[in-house]
Amino acid sequence: LNLSFHLNKTDYNLFMMKEKGYKYLFGPIPSRRLGRSLGVNLVPHKICSYDCLYCEVGATTATTTERKNYILPDKIIDEIKDFINSGVKINVITLTGAGEPTLNSSIGKLISSIKKLTNIPVAVLTNGSLLWSNRVKKALLEADIVIPSVDSVDEKDFYKVDRPDKKIELKTILSGIKEFSYIYQGRLWLEVLIVEGINDSDFSICNLGRWASTLKAQKLQLGTIIRPPASEANPVSYERLEEIAAILKDYLNYPVEIIGDFEGKSEQKKVSAELLVKSCKMRPLTKEDIIEIYGKSDNLDRMVIELIKEGKLKKRNFGNKRFYTG
């Protein structure tokens, strides 16, 4: 999704003042899928039902399927109110973050509260592992966009790539996502991430296409690893993604979209060290990413060098890019 954006000086100053104090919000970040997205953390780092090979947030210390109030919704709503009042322009409010958001048992209440606050669309990025639950299905019905991920419908590949909690069964997940697709009235986009040598075979893709053809979805978003992963895992080439997209299109009656990098426009701005470290903790960022998010800054290179010396940032090369992590 290619969107051009910039913040005016007033918007940017408001954002810089307020963002520093936020505990549960991050960004806005340039999302490849959603445009300028305000991220919302619903669980502490790294509470998740999966331990995906490719996760850019890092390894899951202990997987879980237990739903509870990991973070109370009122605390999150207070921060969202403050952010909205700042006047900073965003395209979407995205429930995602440092783990699986549907593990927070108050996600439905949170979505309802956000919808009462603003007309800005609410998106949920989920691994889909809990959509078999009627409570989770009901909780997500008010969201404008739900993006569940299914990396493979073959058990061997699924367990290799997503490394789920031992209580999770693939057939239950697939059934839950399919059922949800038929009761949900918003935009359902299926996400598939391809890892070289695991879920990239024609056989695996054909099986995925057959299953995905049974969903009531608006599109399938296809991608591969573009940031440093939690474990040893490699991306496939763009050419292979095109081949996979062509195979899937033979099965589906909805579009297949290859996810590319975000493109935006920036102005001359000043980035704070605190904000930069916080952002790099949420996702590895290149220098180009930082500029796209916060704008160009004369002090950026010097700041990065100092933060590395202090041990607050680390360098990590992946592919042909250099990333900075918190």
Side-chain angles (χ1 to χ4, degrees):
L1 183 62
N2 294 328
L3 297 174
S4 295
F5 72 89
H6 67 275
L7 299 181
N8 62 41
K9 186 174 181 179
T10 301
D11 282 345
Y12 183 80
N13 288 339
L14 281 168
F15 171 60
M16 290 297 289
M17 286 189 294
K18 296 178 181 293
E19 166 66 4
K20 293 179 184 179
Y22 292 150
K23 188 174 180 181
Y24 308 112
L25 307 185
F26 60 97
I29 60 173
S31 166
R32 291 175 290 158
R33 293 171 284 190
L34 297 165
R36 193 163 179 79
S37 166
L38 177 67
V40 183
N41 257 326
L42 271 66
V43 293
H45 189 284
K46 167 115 180 325
I47 304 295
C48 197
S49 50
Y50 288 176
D51 181 23
C52 297
L53 280 175
Y54 56 76
C55 185
E56 63 187 34
V57 182
T60 303
T61 50
T63 58
T64 184
T65 58
E66 182 183 6
R67 300 189 73 225
K68 61 182 182 181
N69 278 322
Y70 289 98
I71 300 171
L72 294 176
D74 291 348
K75 293 182 178 181
I76 298 174
I77 285 297
D78 286 344
E79 291 194 357
I80 292 176
K81 281 181 183 176
D82 185 72
F83 182 90
I84 290 171
N85 289 336
S86 75
V88 176
K89 305 303 180 184
I90 54 174
N91 300 110
V92 66
I93 297 170
T94 307
L95 308 187
T96 174
E100 171 51 36
T102 62
L103 285 169
N104 189 317
S105 56
S106 293
I107 188 172
K109 179 181 177 181
L110 180 61
I111 293 170
S112 296
S113 298
I114 296 172
K115 299 295 289 181
K116 291 173 184 175
L117 276 179
T118 179
N119 291 324
I120 298 169
V122 177
V124 179
L125 302 187
T126 172
N127 61 27
S129 61
L130 301 178
L131 276 172
W132 55 268
S133 164
N134 289 332
R135 289 185 177 180
V136 174
K137 290 188 187 79
K138 184 178 179 181
L140 300 190
L141 289 178
E142 278 195 73
D144 298 283
I145 306 167
V146 175
I147 308 178
S149 63
V150 177
D151 298 323
S152 180
V153 298
D154 297 314
E155 285 199 358
K156 184 179 178 182
D157 295 345
F158 168 68
Y159 286 107
K160 234 183 230 189
V161 173
D162 295 329
R163 302 188 295 190
D165 184 85
K166 60 184 179 181
K167 296 178 182 177
I168 290 174
E169 293 185 354
L170 177 59
K171 63 181 180 181
T172 305
I173 294 173
L174 299 179
S175 175
I177 293 173
K178 181 178 177 180
E179 289 171 6
F180 179 73
S181 79
Y182 279 88
I183 64 170
Y184 179 56
Q185 299 300 308
R187 288 171 279 174
L188 185 76
W189 303 345
L190 185 66
E191 178 186 14
V192 178
L193 190 137
I194 304 297
V195 179
E196 183 184 48
I198 300 180
N199 62 340
D200 59 342
S201 70
D202 286 359
F203 178 80
S204 180
I205 300 305
C206 288
N207 286 339
L208 176 64
R210 291 187 190 96
W211 173 79
S213 70
T214 68
L215 301 184
K216 186 183 176 185
Q218 278 67 56
K219 60 181 168 182
L220 184 150
Q221 296 184 316
L222 183 66
T224 191
I225 305 167
I226 64 165
R227 298 180 188 280
S231 302
E232 280 298 319
N234 295 311
V236 296
S237 67
Y238 186 82
E239 290 73 23
R240 181 54 183 157
L241 282 182
E242 289 184 313
E243 293 170 357
I244 291 170
I247 294 171
L248 291 171
K249 286 174 183 177
D250 285 340
Y251 290 94
L252 305 182
N253 60 1
Y254 49 88
V256 177
E257 173 184 273
I258 296 177
I259 302 170
D261 287 334
F262 186 97
E263 294 178 4
K265 295 180 180 179
S266 303
E267 294 179 351
Q268 186 80 10
K269 307 285 184 349
K270 185 177 179 181
V271 185
S272 73
E274 183 180 357
L275 186 56
L276 182 56
V277 171
K278 181 178 178 182
S279 296
C280 290
K281 281 183 178 179
M282 288 307 308
R283 65 192 296 216
L285 298 175
T286 63
K287 180 180 177 180
E288 291 73 25
D289 291 332
I290 295 166
I291 291 172
E292 290 294 351
I293 297 170
Y294 301 115
K296 296 177 182 178
S297 173
D298 289 337
N299 69 330
L300 179 59
D301 290 336
R302 184 171 64 254
M303 182 187 299
V304 168
I305 291 170
E306 288 302 315
L307 289 171
I308 290 171
K309 286 181 180 177
E310 294 169 9
K312 294 179 180 178
L313 284 184
K314 296 177 182 177
K315 292 184 290 186
R316 186 173 174 188
N317 294 329
F318 182 74
N320 59 353
K321 294 182 179 181
R322 171 169 289 178
F323 290 85
Y324 298 99
T325 61

